[in-house]
């Protein structure tokens, strides 16, 4: 699957990056801005494609262009270089909802990262070992000095509950 994802991304890049670069360069941006915007647009497309209710009602070209255009408008607004009219070279579609979901997800990742940092040791390392490094409970028991995999599993559960509590306390605020 990762190989197919890589090929799809390379194909999208080859076919559509030039269009996004033209949009950005023609509207007060640099080549680096174009790369950033294109990469973020690909992330939005990837998240949409992985969602359960994935349905693309336009060409990928149109979607990537629309997302890139919205992202660039937002960046111009934040840098106060906003021009109410960004030169549009291509057809666009409404992508605000997808971008909103992308921003919300990014904010949730930031909150989770904060919660992980405040979690402390050994919980942070234990959860990273299991969820990020995909280690087995036997490996974790050995690495962390637990007598067996069941004890490591119980500790992981306690750590996970602490993390959830911290995350949702931040989320509410």
């Amino acid at each position: 699957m990762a190989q197919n994802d890589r090929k799809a991304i390379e194909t999208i890049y080859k076919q559509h990056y030039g269009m996004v670069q033209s949009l950005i360069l023609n509207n007060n941006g640099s080549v680096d801005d174009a790369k950033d915007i294109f990469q973020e647009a690909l992330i939005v497309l990837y998240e949409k494609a992985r969602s359960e209710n994935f349905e693309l009602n336009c060409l990928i070209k149109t979607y990537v262009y629309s997302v890139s255009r919205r992202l660039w408008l937002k960046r111009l607004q934040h840098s106060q270089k906003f021009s109410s009219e960004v030169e549009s070279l291509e057809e666009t579609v409404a992508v605000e909802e997808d971008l909103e979901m992308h921003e919300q997800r990014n904010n949730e990742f930031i909150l989770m990262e904060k919660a992980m940092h405040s979690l402390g040791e050994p919980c942070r390392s234990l959860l990273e070992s299991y969820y990020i490094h995909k280690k087995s409970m036997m490996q974790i028991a050995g690495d962390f000095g637990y007598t067996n995999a069941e004890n490591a599993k119980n500790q992981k559960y306690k750590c996970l509950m602490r993390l959830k509590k911290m995350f949702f306390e931040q989320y509410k605020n």
Side-chain angles (χ1 to χ4, degrees):
M1 182 167 153
Q3 187 63 27
N4 290 340
D5 287 349
R6 180 183 207 103
K7 283 184 178 174
I9 290 169
E10 285 174 7
T11 301
I12 292 170
Y13 185 87
K14 286 175 187 169
Q15 292 178 353
H16 306 303
Y17 174 74
M19 166 188 70
V20 172
Q21 184 176 346
S22 294
L23 166 73
I24 304 303
L25 293 177
N26 289 333
N27 290 285
N28 303 320
S30 68
V31 171
D32 286 340
D33 292 328
K35 288 176 183 174
D36 289 347
I37 293 294
F38 188 76
Q39 184 173 12
E40 194 164 352
L42 285 183
I43 292 169
V44 172
L45 174 63
Y46 185 77
E47 287 173 352
K48 182 173 180 72
R50 293 185 54 99
S51 69
E52 291 175 16
N53 56 352
F54 174 60
E55 190 178 320
L56 195 60
N57 297 317
C58 62
L59 296 172
I60 287 178
K61 173 184 180 179
T62 305
Y63 186 81
V64 168
Y65 183 84
S66 299
V67 169
S68 298
R69 185 173 182 276
R70 274 309 285 143
L71 289 169
W72 186 240
L73 277 170
K74 283 181 106 171
R75 186 167 302 173
L76 288 175
Q77 283 176 322
H78 287 297
S79 66
Q80 291 155 349
K81 294 180 187 173
F82 179 66
S83 140
S84 61
E85 281 303 310
V86 165
E87 185 182 321
S88 193
L89 307 171
E90 301 285 338
E91 177 187 347
T92 62
V93 293
V95 293
E96 285 74 16
E97 191 177 304
D98 294 337
L99 288 176
E100 220 173 271
M101 286 173 51
H102 174 68
E103 275 183 28
Q104 181 180 350
R105 190 172 179 157
N106 276 351
N107 290 337
E108 289 168 353
F109 279 130
I110 290 167
L111 287 177
M112 182 56 75
E113 192 173 39
K114 285 180 183 175
M116 279 292 282
H117 284 294
S118 3
L119 189 58
E121 293 299 341
C123 278
R124 179 178 29 196
S125 295
L126 194 153
L127 292 175
E128 285 176 353
S129 292
Y130 185 76
Y131 290 105
I132 295 172
H133 304 295
K134 306 292 186 201
K135 290 187 175 183
S136 71
M137 280 298 144
M138 284 298 291
Q139 289 175 298
I140 291 172
D143 292 351
F144 289 85
Y146 296 110
T147 53
N148 58 41
E150 193 59 36
N151 287 345
K153 186 176 176 182
N154 288 335
Q155 188 58 44
K156 178 190 70 95
Y157 177 78
K158 290 176 186 175
C159 291
L160 190 58
M161 290 304 106
R162 278 186 48 212
L163 179 65
K164 282 176 78 172
K165 183 179 179 203
M166 294 170 93
F167 172 80
F168 285 111
E169 282 173 1
Q170 290 178 357
Y171 195 80
K172 282 190 290 192
N173 297 332

